[in-house]
């Protein structure tokens, strides 16, 4: 009976040792996986932070571009208004000049016509 018990105890001890070894391996494996997950989570947090920074920069650039565009549109409108005013003045001057020239030509034509009638 002692031999059987001794043999059973040895067998159970071997089995326990094997189970303990397997448990240690699984624990080590789980620890590695946990470490990988922690590293992955840290990378994801870093990527999220970088993504947020890029998003902030993009929004800032968009606001700056909108302000610059508004300024350029305002400047363009001002320049167009000035150019139109200048063109109106030039056209008005040209019209007055041509009107004076036409009046002078009409006067000359009237004088020639009167001169021809007298002759």
């Amino acid at each position: 009976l002692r031999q059987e018990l001794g043999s059973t105890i040895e067998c159970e001890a071997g089995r326990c040792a094997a189970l303990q070894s397997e448990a240690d391996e699984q624990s080590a494996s789980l620890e590695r996986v946990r470490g990988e997950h922690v590293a992955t989570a840290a990378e994801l947090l870093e990527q999220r932070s970088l993504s947020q920074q890029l998003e902030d920069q993009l929004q800032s650039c968009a606001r700056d571009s909108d302000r610059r565009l508004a300024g350029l549109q305002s400047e363009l409108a001002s320049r167009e208004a000035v150019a139109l005013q200048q063109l109106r003045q030039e056209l008005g001057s040209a019209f007055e000049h041509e009107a004076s020239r036409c009046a002078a030509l009409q006067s000359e034509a009237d004088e020639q016509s009167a001169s021809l009638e007298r002759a």
Side-chain angles (χ1 to χ4, degrees):
L1 184 61
R2 281 186 186 161
Q3 283 182 338
E4 285 179 28
L5 279 175
S7 184
T8 301
I9 289 174
E10 284 180 23
C11 181
E12 289 299 316
R15 207 178 101 183
C16 284
L19 289 172
Q20 183 62 49
S21 177
E22 185 178 338
D24 290 345
E25 286 177 20
Q26 287 183 356
S27 178
S29 176
L30 286 173
E31 196 57 36
R32 280 192 304 276
V33 169
R34 189 182 79 73
E36 290 170 4
H37 284 298
V38 167
T40 300
E43 282 182 37
L44 289 173
L45 287 173
E46 183 179 344
Q47 291 298 322
R48 185 192 308 168
S49 176
L50 290 173
S51 177
Q52 184 62 48
Q53 288 174 3
L54 290 174
E55 179 68 26
D56 293 345
Q57 289 174 356
L58 180 62
Q59 289 176 358
S60 177
C61 279
R63 286 189 299 271
D64 290 347
S65 293
D66 288 345
R67 279 193 294 272
R68 280 195 305 246
L69 179 60
L72 290 172
Q73 286 173 332
S74 176
E75 184 180 338
L76 178 61
S78 296
R79 287 183 183 189
E80 284 177 341
V82 169
L84 285 173
Q85 182 62 31
Q86 186 178 3
L87 184 58
R88 283 186 189 119
Q89 289 174 350
E90 290 172 5
L91 286 174
S93 294
F95 179 76
E96 287 176 14
H97 175 73
E98 289 300 314
S100 293
R101 200 170 136 245
C102 285
L105 288 173
Q106 185 63 50
S107 177
E108 186 181 327
D110 289 345
E111 285 177 19
Q112 288 180 0
S113 177
S115 176
L116 286 175
E117 283 181 14
R118 282 190 301 261

